[in-house]
Amino acid sequence: MTTDCIFCNIVNGNTDTIFLYEDNTLVVFKDINPHAPVHLLVVPKKHIRSINDIEPSDHAIVSALIGAGKNMASQTGIAASGYKLVFNVERGGGQMIFHLHLHLLGGWKR
Ligand code: 5GP
Ligand code: ZN
């Protein structure tokens, strides 16, 4: 837990953010500034800065993020039409919140 980290505060329930899914490892909530009809964030409870910082012992967390992204794609009805799962890594990769998160984006009309 890093108290000045917005996503630590969200995953610890210190904000009014509604979780669409939660388990011991991660939470899922809507992006506040969506870039797609469906834009969810899959966020580990553990504070990890970015993909650059994952250790081998974190690989199960990363796997869980991807599995939750897949499940939420199905739950939100975009699995068949298709979607993106995106990790932005560091400033050059578009990362603005330095607490690891997976973007689930989809639901565009063809
Ligand atoms: P990044 O650019 O770091 O990969 O993505 C961070 C995402 O978090 C952005 O899409 C931004 O809209 C979203 N975001 C930032 N602050 C908040 C917040 O307080 N609540 C929610 N739900 N999303 C946020
Ligand atoms: Zn954090």
Side-chain angles (χ1 to χ4, degrees):
M1 167 82 186
T2 306
T3 49
D4 59 356
C5 169
I6 178 64
F7 281 5
C8 278
N9 280 299
I10 289 175
V11 300
N12 284 291
N14 298 332
T15 74
D16 58 5
T17 303
I18 294 166
F19 297 152
L20 305 182
Y21 175 78
E22 178 177 17
D23 63 23
N24 289 335
T25 305
L26 60 88
V27 301
V28 179
F29 52 87
K30 288 183 179 176
D31 195 291
I32 203 169
N33 181 25
H35 287 251
V38 175
H39 187 175
L40 304 184
L41 299 174
V42 186
V43 184
K45 291 186 173 177
K46 179 179 178 182
H47 182 89
I48 302 167
R49 178 181 167 92
S50 84
I51 284 287
N52 278 347
D53 300 282
I54 59 167
E55 306 284 350
S57 59
D58 296 321
H59 287 183
I61 293 175
V62 178
S63 179
L65 298 180
I66 295 168
K70 174 217 163 196
N71 290 342
M72 293 308 298
S74 178
Q75 200 171 308
T76 55
I78 61 170
S81 58
Y83 54 92
K84 298 176 197 246
L85 292 174
V86 177
F87 288 107
N88 294 328
V89 184
E90 292 296 334
R91 288 181 209 283
Q95 188 176 5
M96 293 189 303
I97 305 287
F98 295 98
H99 176 132
L100 185 67
H101 52 280
L102 177 64
H103 295 259
L104 168 62
L105 299 139
W108 303 278
K109 296 267 186 280
R110 294 192 59 193

